[in-house]
Amino acid sequence: MGGRHPVSIISDQDLAMKGAIAKIFPNTRHRLWLWHIKKKFAEKLSHVYFKKSKFKIQMKKCIQSKYNIEEFEEKWKELMKECELANDDWLNSLYDIHSSWVPVYNRDIL
């Protein structure tokens, strides 16, 4: 790599990997692989994911649409309210790290 650090590294949510990236590449942005996160939706939110609701479609749109940051924030809040998920611990923890996996927060990375 010519003595240069990567601009970003994409991995899953493994805590050991997170620590290693921060230690070895302190100036590199650690991003989370969206595929891994989306894979967990069915397991963690099965009570709404498999219902005949619009959750699955609306969540995909919320995450992957070409919104700007403010629009994403608004759509996320609307979806949490509409699907009564504002108090879901897993979703709240996921939201806490949203800048590492939601595409709109990583568009500035080449």
Side-chain angles (χ1 to χ4, degrees):
M1 294 176 48
R4 295 184 344 178
H5 293 260
V7 174
S8 69
I9 294 176
I10 299 173
S11 73
D12 62 11
Q13 289 177 276
D14 183 87
L15 291 176
M17 183 66 80
K18 179 181 179 180
I21 291 168
K23 183 177 181 181
I24 304 300
F25 300 119
N27 298 319
T28 297
R29 186 182 293 184
H30 181 208
R31 296 172 52 197
L32 300 177
W33 195 8
L34 183 56
W35 181 85
H36 277 278
I37 291 170
K38 287 173 33 180
K39 187 175 149 184
K40 293 179 185 177
F41 276 85
E43 172 194 342
K44 302 287 187 179
L45 301 169
S46 60
H47 60 288
V48 292
Y49 194 82
F50 295 111
K51 273 176 53 175
K52 291 184 180 181
S53 73
K54 296 179 183 178
F55 173 79
K56 188 176 178 180
I57 294 166
Q58 289 175 320
M59 179 57 78
K60 181 178 179 181
K61 186 177 178 183
C62 178
I63 293 169
Q64 295 183 305
S65 288
K66 301 275 185 211
Y67 296 130
N68 63 38
I69 291 172
E70 292 79 21
E71 290 169 327
F72 163 78
E73 299 283 342
E74 183 181 317
K75 295 293 181 185
W76 179 275
K77 288 175 186 172
E78 287 174 9
L79 182 57
M80 295 304 106
K81 184 177 180 179
E82 183 178 319
C83 294
E84 299 177 355
L85 293 168
N87 295 320
D88 185 273
D89 291 337
W90 182 74
L91 273 176
N92 286 327
S93 68
L94 196 58
Y95 183 79
D96 289 343
I97 59 170
H98 67 282
S99 64
S100 64
W101 61 272
V102 176
V104 71
Y105 289 92
N106 294 294
R107 288 189 186 140
D108 62 326
I109 299 173
L110 301 176

